Amino acid sequence: MPTINDVARAAGVSPSTVSYVLSGRRPISAETRARVQAAIAELGFHPHAGARALASSKTNVLALVAPLRVDVNVPVIMQFATAVVTAARTHNHDVLLLTKDEGTAGLERVAHSTMVDALILMDIERDDVRLPAIRRLKQPSVLIGLPADHAGIACVDLDFEAAAALALRHLAGHGHRRIGLVGPSPAVYQRQTTYADRFLTGFLRASADLGLRTATHPTEPGTDGVRAALADLDTELPGLTALVVHNEEALRPLLDLLRAAGRRVPEDVAIVAICPRDVATSMPVNLTSIDIPAHDVGTLAVETAMRLLDHRRVEFTRLLEPSLAERDSCREIPPSHR
Amino acid sequence: MPTINDVARAAGVSPSTVSYVLSGRRPISAETRARVQAAIAELGFHPHAGARALASSKTNVLALVAPLRVDVNVPVIMQFATAVVTAARTHNHDVLLLTKDEGTAGLERVAHSTMVDALILMDIERDDVRLPAIRRLKQPSVLIGLPADHAGIACVDLDFEAAAALALRHLAGHGHRRIGLVGPSPAVYQRQTTYADRFLTGFLRASADLGLRTATHPTEPGTDGVRAALADLDTELPGLTALVVHNEEALRPLLDLLRAAGRRVPEDVAIVAICPRDVATSMPVNLTSIDIPAHDVGTLAVETAMRLLDHRRVEFTRLLEPSLAERDSCREIPPSHR
DNA sequence: TTGAAAGCGCTACCAT
DNA sequence: ATGGTAGCGCTTTCAA
């Protein structure tokens, strides 16, 4: 492998000139630049990443800490990862993939050994045990999620409170007054990933603001869990006309159960789902949904990391505005029936 | 951040001794080792990855090139990735995540700039355009998949030919004589990812060997595609009693269609699916399946890479034996009905 | 506009 | 069993 010295020699310049041609951090005459670039191309020169990192204290690598359990959210995680890698490349960075399993030790390992310039972490819990370590690192972090104490840490996520409010406003606007929430599994609440709480908070507040009758229910996985949730909601809220479903996994069993019970969607029950677009559109009924904008969130996380590295101003808490796509699972209740 | 020199000073030894304590490449007296380790712990020393890479020509990083399109196979890809990262960590390596989108340029970039010691590539096509580049790299590669010309390149995959034969043997053993193959989408065949061909080859050969009547059909995505495939198979093979399904996405629509048509599984139609275990067990009918052992394949890929790096012997083509899990979608045809 | 040279923090060879 | 030290291939300051 040729080195910068080989290139310098071939081009008849000093190594520093080659370096400056590469980095653009110094004006270079057009002809010198041309000679250097020709030499680079001819020799097939590529700067040695380790040498660069050592000399410049920059690795051009981002750590992405992902929950790599085999989970229901797999598609969403993949969308985040794809967005992060793609966005990182547009900023000339690569991505080192860590599992959440490694915990605090993993972060510290890659940070302390100077393998990465910044970290992006997914699946942040309310009182995430990694937060103290994150605060101590010399590299900046961007969290995808919102822990309880996020002072001084950059966080990016969908605004789940606003999402809940948006779902209820949509349904209320269609004349629905009795609305049930099919929530995430108890495991999600226990894991304290805060999106569940934030959604619930927004749901309850909007319910009060809009003067709705609502009931909420966490949902155990599997058809049995969904059946139980539906039964409880029906009991607590007789005559409910709409459901908000914040649980991807529950969608299909829910639709099956409703069909089996002879309850049509949207004629008898309206549904707003919170899930990735392609999940909403691959169901037996094309579901009106609020998208989980994994791509945007991932891209924004990378952009935030880049700003932090450049010492540019960042908003430390960025909650993306939800947007609702109307499809076929909500219909207007005629005023006479309200 | 403390350096190796700081540690050496604190422990009253030379930097090289610290280095040897770290690497274990030289005998060190117990007491010296203890002093050095105490100094390391006290100072919170972590070797600088770039400096290490520069001095030793080893990065302890593996590249994982994954197809990060948002695809049907997402869960399988995640399982590969998880296995690779986990296995890499047990060998003290980290994983740099690249997208297949970057193509040959991406491989060359990370290889030429010495960011990685070896590469693991997924989603290999029959005449993969990256193969020539892969052969030229100074770093070894391990392919997950089997291209047409794989001479001299380490490849790891499920033995899809054997998988097809296993599926047919199982069904034949249960008395089935007319068996249809619900294949992958035409897009998969066009993309020339060879697992589709290999499965088909194995299917046709075993069909002949076992004296079966079979028909095969690629399957367009969506319920309509599955409906068309099923109709064609029924036409080509009237009275078929079993289906082999090599298409995850088709499974649910297929089961829905069969139910709608009043054809019971397994009483009227037996099914063997080729898919991850959790997909097979999350269907309305618990499906007898041949697992795609993503975890094993990923782990083996890493192990193979490690052997290559250590200049140990490797088998260049490792096709893992398929295994079939009996569940509820195949039943014995009574001899009187065969 | 360009060059010279001092590091960056390690590893591994050559000594002892 | 341990130490000294010359690089590894860059970046960046200081000089011109």
Side-chain angles (χ1 to χ4, degrees):
Chain A
M1 302 253 90
T3 73
I4 200 172
N5 290 297
D6 300 325
V7 175
R9 202 172 310 120
V13 299
S14 76
S16 58
T17 296
V18 177
S19 177
Y20 286 118
V21 167
L22 252 23
S23 70
R25 300 166 85 74
R26 179 194 251 189
I28 301 279
S29 73
E31 46 180 339
T32 302
R33 192 203 329 285
R35 281 218 313 290
V36 169
Q37 275 162 349
I40 288 174
E42 172 160 1
L43 297 179
F45 166 73
H46 294 264
H48 186 291
R52 264 199 157 156
L54 182 55
S56 69
S57 301
K58 285 183 196 311
T59 62
N60 277 32
V61 175
L62 258 35
L64 174 63
V65 187
L68 293 185
R69 59 185 121 69
V70 181
D71 207 48
V72 216
N73 283 308
V74 158
V76 180
I77 294 170
M78 276 285 285
Q79 286 178 39
F80 277 125
T82 305
V84 167
V85 173
T86 307
R89 286 304 306 138
T90 72
H91 294 274
N92 196 30
H93 279 246
D94 276 289
V95 172
L96 200 72
L97 181 61
L98 305 186
T99 72
K100 193 187 174 193
D101 297 349
E102 274 204 80
T104 302
L107 311 181
E108 294 183 329
R109 183 170 55 76
V110 299
H112 290 156
S113 62
T114 325
M115 299 186 78
V116 302
D117 294 335
L119 300 90
I120 295 178
L121 296 94
M122 307 175 46
D123 200 37
I124 301 295
E125 299 171 22
R126 165 180 295 287
D127 297 296
D128 205 290
V129 292
R130 300 167 293 180
L131 283 175
I134 288 170
R135 288 203 158 85
R136 277 195 299 269
L137 298 180
K138 68 164 193 259
Q139 290 96 335
S141 290
V142 178
L143 311 187
I144 295 181
L146 195 65
D149 174 15
H150 53 271
I153 303 186
C155 299
V156 178
D157 206 349
L158 173 64
D159 189 338
F160 280 95
E161 283 193 36
L166 177 56
L168 285 184
R169 253 188 285 124
H170 183 78
L171 289 167
H174 282 61
H176 295 271
R177 289 291 170 268
R178 299 174 157 248
I179 305 173
L181 169 62
V182 176
S185 70
V188 169
Y189 287 107
Q190 274 156 32
R191 195 151 31 83
Q192 307 247 43
T193 317
T194 61
Y195 70 82
D197 306 337
R198 289 184 278 140
F199 192 86
L200 190 55
T201 301
F203 188 89
L204 296 174
R205 175 164 338 127
S207 169
D209 291 352
L210 297 166
L212 302 172
R213 298 280 317 272
T214 57
T216 67
H217 208 283
T219 311
E220 296 276 5
T223 300
D224 291 342
V226 179
R227 185 181 293 115
L230 189 54
D232 285 0
L233 290 172
D234 279 327
T235 306
E236 284 185 57
L237 209 61
L240 67 78
T241 63
L243 293 170
V244 174
V245 185
H246 186 206
N247 185 326
E248 275 177 53
E249 197 192 5
L251 283 170
R252 191 174 292 274
L254 178 64
L255 292 172
D256 289 347
L257 286 168
L258 289 173
R259 185 174 57 176
R263 298 164 81 173
R264 296 159 303 166
V265 176
E267 290 80 357
D268 304 318
V269 186
I271 290 182
V272 175
I274 286 75
C275 67
R277 178 188 327 288
D278 50 304
V279 171
T281 58
S282 68
M283 291 288 152
V285 179
N286 225 357
L287 296 177
T288 292
S289 74
I290 296 175
D291 190 29
I292 300 196
H295 185 85
D296 295 347
V297 173
T299 304
L300 183 56
V302 170
E303 240 119 58
T304 304
M306 292 301 147
R307 298 187 69 100
L308 288 168
L309 290 175
D310 294 344
H311 302 104
R312 281 146 68 205
R313 262 187 51 68
V314 303
E315 266 184 82
F316 275 84
T317 304
R318 271 291 242 123
L319 297 181
L320 298 188
E321 200 65 29
S323 78
L324 183 146
E326 289 207 54
R327 299 202 184 83
D328 309 334
S329 61
C330 296
R331 60 132 206 180
E332 186 91 17
I333 297 192
S336 55
H337 287 64
R338 288 182 189 175
Chain B
M1 301 255 92
T3 73
I4 201 172
N5 290 297
D6 299 326
V7 173
R9 205 171 310 121
V13 299
S14 76
S16 59
T17 297
V18 178
S19 177
Y20 286 117
V21 167
L22 252 22
S23 69
R25 299 164 88 71
R26 180 194 251 190
I28 301 281
S29 72
E31 45 181 340
T32 302
R33 192 204 326 285
R35 281 217 314 287
V36 169
Q37 276 161 347
I40 288 174
E42 173 160 1
L43 298 179
F45 167 74
H46 294 264
H48 186 292
R52 261 197 161 158
L54 182 55
S56 68
S57 302
K58 283 182 197 310
T59 63
N60 277 35
V61 175
L62 258 36
L64 173 63
V65 188
L68 291 186
R69 59 184 120 70
V70 181
D71 207 49
V72 218
N73 283 307
V74 159
V76 180
I77 295 170
M78 276 284 284
Q79 285 177 40
F80 278 125
T82 303
V84 167
V85 173
T86 306
R89 287 303 306 139
T90 72
H91 294 274
N92 196 29
H93 279 245
D94 276 288
V95 172
L96 200 73
L97 181 61
L98 306 186
T99 74
K100 193 187 174 193
D101 298 347
E102 274 202 80
T104 302
L107 311 182
E108 294 183 328
R109 183 170 54 76
V110 299
H112 289 157
S113 62
T114 325
M115 298 185 77
V116 303
D117 294 334
L119 300 90
I120 295 177
L121 296 94
M122 308 174 45
D123 199 37
I124 301 295
E125 298 171 23
R126 164 179 295 286
D127 297 296
D128 204 289
V129 292
R130 300 168 293 181
L131 283 175
I134 287 169
R135 288 203 158 84
R136 277 194 299 268
L137 298 180
K138 70 163 191 262
Q139 290 95 335
S141 290
V142 178
L143 311 187
I144 295 180
L146 195 65
D149 174 14
H150 53 270
I153 303 187
C155 300
V156 177
D157 206 350
L158 173 64
D159 189 337
F160 280 94
E161 284 194 36
L166 177 56
L168 285 183
R169 252 187 285 124
H170 183 78
L171 289 167
H174 282 62
H176 295 271
R177 288 292 169 266
R178 298 174 158 247
I179 303 174
L181 170 62
V182 176
S185 70
V188 169
Y189 287 107
Q190 274 156 32
R191 196 151 31 84
Q192 306 245 47
T193 318
T194 61
Y195 70 83
D197 306 338
R198 288 184 277 142
F199 192 87
L200 190 55
T201 302
F203 187 90
L204 296 173
R205 173 161 342 127
S207 169
D209 290 352
L210 297 166
L212 301 173
R213 299 278 317 273
T214 57
T216 66
H217 208 283
T219 311
E220 296 275 7
T223 300
D224 291 344
V226 179
R227 185 181 295 116
L230 189 55
D232 284 2
L233 289 173
D234 278 328
T235 307
E236 284 186 56
L237 208 61
L240 66 79
T241 63
L243 293 170
V244 173
V245 185
H246 186 206
N247 186 325
E248 275 177 56
E249 197 192 6
L251 282 171
R252 190 175 293 274
L254 178 64
L255 291 173
D256 289 347
L257 286 167
L258 289 173
R259 186 175 56 175
R263 298 163 80 174
R264 296 159 302 166
V265 176
E267 290 80 359
D268 303 319
V269 186
I271 291 181
V272 175
I274 286 74
C275 66
R277 180 189 325 288
D278 50 305
V279 171
T281 58
S282 67
M283 291 288 153
V285 178
N286 225 358
L287 297 176
T288 292
S289 73
I290 295 175
D291 190 30
I292 301 196
H295 185 85
D296 295 347
V297 173
T299 303
L300 183 56
V302 169
E303 240 119 59
T304 304
M306 292 301 145
R307 298 187 68 101
L308 288 168
L309 290 174
D310 295 344
H311 303 104
R312 281 145 68 204
R313 263 188 50 70
V314 304
E315 265 184 83
F316 275 83
T317 304
R318 271 292 241 123
L319 297 180
L320 298 188
E321 199 65 29
S323 78
L324 183 146
E326 288 207 55
R327 298 202 185 84
D328 309 334
S329 61
C330 295
R331 60 133 207 180
E332 186 91 17
I333 296 192
S336 54
H337 288 65
R338 290 183 187 173

